[in-house]
Amino acid sequence: RVAYVEQEPPMPSDVTVADALLGIVAIGGSGSASAEGKKNVYSVVRSYRLAAMNAEDDPDNFSKAMTDMDTLDGWTVLTKADEIATRLRVKHLESSPLSTLSGGERKRVA
C-alpha cells in the first residue's frame, strides 16, 4: 500500500505566526479562534494584539480588549506565547502570514 504525505501542507493566508503560536489555525469558519461565538482566551489574546496595533485610532476597542484580557487572564497566555516565540526565534515574524515563511521558519512555528 502506498500513501502520499504532503511535505508542505497549505497554509491559510490570513493566519499569522502569532495566531499559530496560540493554536489558531483558521480565521472565521470552522476551526476558528471563536467557537460558536463564545470568547475563549486565545481569541481574546488575538483581539488584544490587533487592538494594541490600532490603539491610537480606536482607544475604545483597545480598552475593551484590555478588559477581556483581565476577565479571562489573557495576560498569562500572552506572556507564554511571547516566551515561545522568543525561544523559537520567530518573535520578529509574529505579524507575518504563515504562507510567507521559509521552510525552516514554518518548521519552527509548526
Side-chain angles (χ1 to χ4, degrees), residues 7 9 24-25 30-31 66 70 75 77 79 83-84 87 93 96 104 109:
Q7 198 165 18
I24 299 170
V25 295
S30 62
M66 286 184 57
D70 289 338
W75 304 111
V77 173
T79 302
E83 180 184 314
I84 291 168
R87 286 184 180 194
L93 299 170
S96 301
V109 172

Side-chain angles (χ1 to χ4, degrees), residues 50 53 64:
L50 294 173
M53 289 189 288
K64 181 186 176 315

Side-chain angles (χ1 to χ4, degrees), residues 43-67 69 75 78 82 94-95:
S43 63
V44 166
V45 171
R46 182 178 195 280
S47 296
Y48 170 78
R49 283 183 166 162
L50 294 173
M53 289 189 288
N54 302 312
E56 282 187 28
D57 298 331
D58 193 353
D60 292 335
N61 189 39
F62 181 66
S63 177
K64 181 186 176 315
M66 286 184 57
T67 300
M69 288 285 284
W75 304 111
L78 180 64
D82 285 343
E94 283 185 323
S95 62

Side-chain angles (χ1 to χ4, degrees), residues 30-43:
S30 62
S32 70
S34 58
E36 300 173 12
K38 288 197 262 183
K39 286 185 184 178
N40 67 44
V41 70
Y42 303 109
S43 63

Side-chain angles (χ1 to χ4, degrees), residues 11 14 20-23 38 43 48 50 52 73-74 76-77 83 87-88 93 96 99-100 102:
M11 299 286 169
D14 56 349
L21 292 175
L22 291 172
K38 288 197 262 183
S43 63
Y48 170 78
L50 294 173
D73 192 26
T76 303
V77 173
E83 180 184 314
R87 286 184 180 194
L88 294 175
L93 299 170
S96 301
S99 58
T100 64
S102 71

